[in-house]
Structure formats: structure tokens, C-alpha cells
Amino acid sequence: MTRSVRDAVRGIWREAAKFGLVGALAFVVDNGGYNLLVFGLPGGAPGGPMGSSPVQASVVATGAAALFSWAGNRYWTYRDQHREKVSRELGLFLVANGIGLAITAGTVFASRELLGLDSALSDNTARVLGWVLATLFRFYAYRRYVFVAP
């Protein structure tokens, strides 16, 4: 393998590892927030403040995770690649995450409304599936459109 190919592979692995760590922490924010909003504190009174609105709770939790992810990716993963115009970068980031949010909320909608499932296990299974699909989409979108030098 030539040096340039080896360096490119290492660069992608480093980028993927940083993206993955930011994503893992955002996953905790997203799923922890969702479970608190819908199901409440473990061992506490049953039901959270958005227990009757699981799709909206998914949107709120995913939105909070997206803000965390933008900061982590902008200032760490892609710190040398971000655009000069923060507003344009943030706009592209929000579009990419809006699509990711729709993917994640869509799996909860499908589980709840189409399949009639409403347990914590089915909600979390649907969210993990949505998270995986949305993460694959976001990694592509961040590399290709969001965090690129103009």
C-alpha cells in the first residue's frame, strides 16, 4: 500500500473514531432524554412529562442531541475543516440532522402507529434502528456537504 493511501485510510479511521465518540455521547443524550421524557426517572413515579407524546419526545431528545453533536463535530472531529460562515455550516448541519431526525422519529411512528407496539423495549428498538440509519446518513452528509472547507 502506498504512503498516500495508507495516510488516507488512517485519516478516515481517525475521523470515523471521533465522529463515533461524539455520536455515542449524543446517543446517550438522545436516548436518555427520550426515556426521561416518556417513561420518567427509574424507580420514580411512572411516566414522564411527555409520556403521552412519544413522537414529540423523540423530536425534542433528538434535537438536544443534534446540538450536542454539532458542537462536538465542529470543534473536535472537523475542527480543521469547518466553513468560515458558521451560519451556512449550521444551516447545512440542521438540514442533515432534520433528515436524521425524521428517520429516527419515523421508526418510532412506524413502531407505534403501524405496528401498534408501545412498550419501552419496542420504542427503544425502533429508536436504535432509526439511530443506526440516521447515523449512516449523517456521516455521509457531514463529510460531503457540512464540514468541508469552501
Side-chain angles (χ1 to χ4, degrees), residues 42-139:
M50 296 182 78
S52 62
S53 306
V55 174
Q56 291 86 345
S58 182
V59 170
V60 169
T62 301
L67 290 174
F68 174 85
S69 176
W70 178 74
N73 281 303
R74 182 174 208 282
Y75 295 107
W76 187 48
T77 308
Y78 299 103
R79 71 175 169 256
D80 298 325
Q81 295 171 229
H82 49 78
R83 299 172 185 269
E84 290 180 24
K85 287 192 80 172
V86 175
S87 60
R88 176 151 171 75
E89 180 184 271
L90 183 56
L92 291 168
F93 181 87
L94 292 174
V95 167
N97 276 276
I99 294 168
L101 185 146
I103 293 168
T104 304
T107 58
V108 173
F109 176 82
S111 175
R112 287 274 181 145
E113 303 301 324
L114 302 178
L115 300 176
L117 304 172
D118 64 359
S119 71
L121 177 62
S122 62
D123 276 6
N124 283 292
T125 300
R127 288 181 50 74
V128 167
L129 174 62
W131 183 270
V132 168
L133 296 173
T135 297
L136 292 171
F137 169 77
R138 283 191 290 262
F139 185 69

